[in-house]
Amino acid sequence: MDAQGHERFREFVENRSSALLKTAVLLSGGDRHAAEDLLQSALIKAAGRWQRIDEPEAYVRQILYRQQVSRWRLKWRRRELTVAEPPEGTGGTATADASSAADMRIVMRGALARLTARQRTVLVLRYFEDLPEADVARILGCSVGTVRSTTHRSLAKLRALAPELAALGPADAEQRPSRDYSPVEVRP
């Protein structure tokens, strides 16, 4: 890699690594160390082909997805589960909304960690990355039907693992900006 390419790669890593790490954390089930390893190996692979990459972020994300797929297809699977426990006291500085949001994130992270790697990856691609089913199927190398059934089973398991997430439904929907789907009056 020449000096200009090296500088572009360094800038890319500085600017986009936090967003890519968030995706890697979700893919790895909340295990930050595994996510950092996943991202680091993806960046190493990207650095080797840097001069030929047109869209660096899309390329690195594709590597992240494929590496995660490779991890769950391995015969040897890691049986250890790392969980973070929330601190005992917040010192009274956090508001009730912030602490409940943090509680929900902890619950969600724990529930995602208990899904299989395949289930977690499908949910991350569908709902965090907001990819259509066809794109998820292409990335994972499976059929659209497999993506649909895996999504359905994954959401059912997620609901069973963390029923308290159901509380996000109506309250969360009220805070989201609503789209105006009111019927248009048609005059003859």
Side-chain angles (χ1 to χ4, degrees), residues 30-52:
D31 185 349
R32 187 166 176 90
H33 297 291
E36 289 170 351
D37 290 344
L38 184 66
L39 179 58
Q40 183 176 8
S41 60
L43 289 173
I44 289 170
K45 287 184 178 188
R49 300 183 52 94
W50 188 252
Q51 299 294 355
R52 294 172 285 210

Side-chain angles (χ1 to χ4, degrees), residues 39-110:
L39 179 58
Q40 183 176 8
S41 60
L43 289 173
I44 289 170
K45 287 184 178 188
R49 300 183 52 94
W50 188 252
Q51 299 294 355
R52 294 172 285 210
I53 298 174
D54 294 329
E55 296 180 35
E57 185 163 354
Y59 187 83
V60 172
R61 285 183 185 277
Q62 185 80 17
I63 294 171
L64 287 172
Y65 307 145
R66 289 187 177 171
Q67 283 183 317
Q68 186 62 26
V69 169
S70 295
R71 286 184 180 186
W72 87 52
R73 288 183 178 163
L74 290 176
K75 289 182 182 179
W76 175 83
R77 294 207 173 137
R78 197 171 110 178
R79 301 282 184 217
E80 180 182 344
L81 178 64
T82 310
V83 292
E85 301 218 345
E88 286 301 316
T90 58
T93 59
T95 65
D97 289 342
S99 66
S100 66
D103 290 342
M104 284 299 176
R105 282 193 302 272
I106 291 169
V107 169
M108 178 63 89
R109 182 176 288 169

Side-chain angles (χ1 to χ4, degrees), residues 64-176:
L64 287 172
Y65 307 145
R66 289 187 177 171
Q67 283 183 317
Q68 186 62 26
V69 169
S70 295
R71 286 184 180 186
W72 87 52
R73 288 183 178 163
L74 290 176
K75 289 182 182 179
W76 175 83
R77 294 207 173 137
R78 197 171 110 178
R79 301 282 184 217
E80 180 182 344
L81 178 64
T82 310
V83 292
E85 301 218 345
E88 286 301 316
T90 58
T93 59
T95 65
D97 289 342
S99 66
S100 66
D103 290 342
M104 284 299 176
R105 282 193 302 272
I106 291 169
V107 169
M108 178 63 89
R109 182 176 288 169
L112 282 173
R114 293 170 56 194
L115 295 176
T116 66
R118 181 183 192 98
Q119 290 173 327
R120 191 171 46 247
T121 302
V122 168
L123 290 181
V124 167
L125 292 174
R126 284 287 291 131
Y127 298 108
F128 181 73
E129 295 292 327
D130 199 26
L131 294 176
E133 291 169 339
D135 289 351
V136 174
R138 183 184 46 76
I139 289 169
L140 300 179
C142 63
S143 70
V144 172
T146 300
V147 171
R148 287 180 183 153
S149 63
T150 303
T151 302
H152 177 75
R153 284 191 308 271
S154 303
L155 289 173
K157 187 172 180 181
L158 194 63
R159 288 183 191 109
L161 290 171
E164 58 269 35
L165 292 176
L168 289 178
D172 189 37
E174 290 173 6
Q175 293 176 0
R176 284 189 212 144

